[in-house]
Amino acid sequence: MKETLHIYTRVSSSIQEEGTSLKTQREIGIELSNKLGMKYQVHNEGGISSSKDTLENRPVMLNLLRLMEEGKIKNLYVWNTDRLSRNQITWFSIRRTMVKNCVVLYTSNGIHNTQDYMENMILGILSEVSQYDNKVRTERSRLGKIEKVKLNYWRGGDCPFGYKLCSDGNGNKLVVNEDESKWVLFIFNEYSQGTTLKEIKLQLERNGVKTRRGNVYWSLGSLQVILRNEIYIGVDVFVDKKTNLKITNTIPQIISNKLWGIVQEKRKLKLLRKGQ
């Protein structure tokens, strides 16, 4: 009976390395199984953030570890060791299970026999290097974001509803989205006149207004976020979580200061009535 190469695919939702998409990882794993004369089985974890790299949010890896313990997995392929984990504690737990159950690990760097002392040491070194590289990338990304914000460029990711990104060749700046900004003004005006969030939500949906991410249905939470976001009075505040550095930029204003004040007072009164 042919042995099976279990192919584990995973990408970080925060860092996407070139050439290591889920599709690429899968194709390389299948090609390897053919070379080895093995059957293959793909285990796809999808896009999982590496910021909290624990086993709690990785059901596919937990299942693989269970199958290893049951002796049902003897050959495992991953693109490189950081697909398994960049977290020291998580990596140790996974490697210990592989060693205990005599699992051979295949990566783009070659074969790693977890029963060989030298190979085991190399696996440990590769894991440390991977964690170091990840920290360097994270720090570089953080510092790059700060420099962008200092120049009044958008920090990255989706921009707030009511705005769009305009590139000047060096970065993206927030400018008013003419279509969406009318609906931002509508939301604030309606709320200031006593219209409930539920009714505002229904009116947006009746008029085919889509959320920033293209959804046809609005949540009450997303409307609350809009109503309390100072960005609509032209104030964009960025706080670096690591250093608490605060940068305040000025951007095009959509809502007048007067309307903003009325809405915030109404929000405050509602929260007081609810005891919040």
Side-chain angles (χ1 to χ4, degrees), residues 193-211:
Q193 294 167 21
T195 306
T196 66
L197 287 178
K198 186 175 181 180
E199 181 56 34
I200 293 173
K201 161 186 158 65
L202 292 174
Q203 290 191 52
L204 290 171
E205 292 169 357
R206 288 190 194 115
N207 283 277
V209 182
K210 293 184 178 180
T211 67

Side-chain angles (χ1 to χ4, degrees), residues 101-142:
N101 296 284
C102 306
V103 176
V104 176
L105 178 65
Y106 297 83
T107 72
S108 56
N109 295 316
I111 304 172
H112 305 282
N113 184 351
T114 54
Q115 299 309 294
D116 183 276
Y117 292 126
M118 181 62 71
E119 286 289 338
N120 217 7
M121 182 184 72
I122 291 172
L123 277 177
I125 294 172
L126 288 173
S127 175
E128 293 293 332
V129 171
S130 175
Q131 290 172 49
Y132 171 76
D133 286 343
N134 183 47
K135 288 178 181 178
V136 169
R137 280 194 296 268
T138 301
E139 185 67 8
R140 189 184 297 130
S141 174
R142 186 184 70 83

Side-chain angles (χ1 to χ4, degrees), residues 23-75:
K23 182 173 181 289
T24 300
Q25 293 176 47
R26 182 178 185 277
E27 289 174 349
I28 294 175
I30 293 173
E31 184 180 346
L32 177 62
S33 70
N34 291 331
K35 287 181 180 178
L36 296 170
M38 294 184 185
K39 298 184 295 182
Y40 69 85
Q41 185 175 340
V42 178
H43 306 265
N44 180 23
E45 193 84 71
I48 299 294
S49 173
S50 61
S51 59
K52 294 182 179 179
D53 193 355
T54 65
L55 292 174
E56 292 176 3
N57 63 342
R58 293 170 61 188
V60 176
M61 175 51 67
L62 279 172
N63 185 54
L64 283 176
L65 294 175
R66 178 182 63 79
L67 292 173
M68 289 180 200
E69 292 284 8
E70 294 174 359
K72 295 178 181 178
I73 290 181
K74 292 299 179 184
N75 300 283

Side-chain angles (χ1 to χ4, degrees), residues 15-253:
I15 300 172
Q16 300 291 331
E17 293 89 352
E18 185 179 354
T20 58
S21 67
L22 293 171
K23 182 173 181 289
T24 300
Q25 293 176 47
R26 182 178 185 277
E27 289 174 349
I28 294 175
I30 293 173
E31 184 180 346
L32 177 62
S33 70
N34 291 331
K35 287 181 180 178
L36 296 170
M38 294 184 185
K39 298 184 295 182
Y40 69 85
Q41 185 175 340
V42 178
H43 306 265
N44 180 23
E45 193 84 71
I48 299 294
S49 173
S50 61
S51 59
K52 294 182 179 179
D53 193 355
T54 65
L55 292 174
E56 292 176 3
N57 63 342
R58 293 170 61 188
V60 176
M61 175 51 67
L62 279 172
N63 185 54
L64 283 176
L65 294 175
R66 178 182 63 79
L67 292 173
M68 289 180 200
E69 292 284 8
E70 294 174 359
K72 295 178 181 178
I73 290 181
K74 292 299 179 184
N75 300 283
L76 177 67
Y77 168 79
V78 292
W79 169 256
N80 56 25
T81 56
D82 65 14
R83 297 304 87 192
L84 293 175
S85 181
R86 288 178 173 139
N87 178 287
Q88 287 178 318
I89 296 174
T90 304
W91 167 245
F92 174 77
S93 178
I94 294 171
R95 188 173 59 173
R96 181 178 58 184
T97 302
M98 289 193 297
V99 171
K100 177 184 174 184
N101 296 284
C102 306
V103 176
V104 176
L105 178 65
Y106 297 83
T107 72
S108 56
N109 295 316
I111 304 172
H112 305 282
N113 184 351
T114 54
Q115 299 309 294
D116 183 276
Y117 292 126
M118 181 62 71
E119 286 289 338
N120 217 7
M121 182 184 72
I122 291 172
L123 277 177
I125 294 172
L126 288 173
S127 175
E128 293 293 332
V129 171
S130 175
Q131 290 172 49
Y132 171 76
D133 286 343
N134 183 47
K135 288 178 181 178
V136 169
R137 280 194 296 268
T138 301
E139 185 67 8
R140 189 184 297 130
S141 174
R142 186 184 70 83
L143 294 174
K145 184 183 291 185
I146 289 173
E147 290 306 309
K148 276 190 174 182
V149 175
K150 283 181 178 178
L151 295 171
N152 207 9
Y153 289 118
W154 182 242
R155 61 190 65 97
D158 292 332
C159 65
F161 182 81
Y163 292 92
K164 62 183 178 180
L165 298 176
C166 182
S167 175
D168 64 1
N170 295 313
N172 292 315
K173 291 198 173 184
L174 289 180
V175 297
V176 174
N177 181 315
E178 296 300 330
D179 292 329
E180 292 182 354
S181 62
K182 291 185 295 187
W183 290 107
V184 171
L185 190 56
F186 168 82
I187 293 168
F188 274 83
N189 276 325
E190 289 294 313
Y191 189 85
S192 71
Q193 294 167 21
T195 306
T196 66
L197 287 178
K198 186 175 181 180
E199 181 56 34
I200 293 173
K201 161 186 158 65
L202 292 174
Q203 290 191 52
L204 290 171
E205 292 169 357
R206 288 190 194 115
N207 283 277
V209 182
K210 293 184 178 180
T211 67
R212 162 55 64 239
R213 298 195 174 184
N215 295 324
V216 294
Y217 297 108
W218 287 73
S219 69
L220 298 181
S222 63
L223 292 176
Q224 290 169 343
V225 168
I226 288 175
L227 290 170
R228 65 171 181 260
N229 195 343
E230 285 185 322
I231 207 163
Y232 296 113
I233 54 171
V235 179
D236 180 27
V237 179
F238 170 80
V239 179
D240 177 47
K241 294 179 181 179
K242 184 175 181 180
T243 62
N244 288 323
L245 172 68
K246 185 177 180 180
I247 303 171
T248 302
N249 287 326
T250 300
I251 61 168
Q253 188 168 349

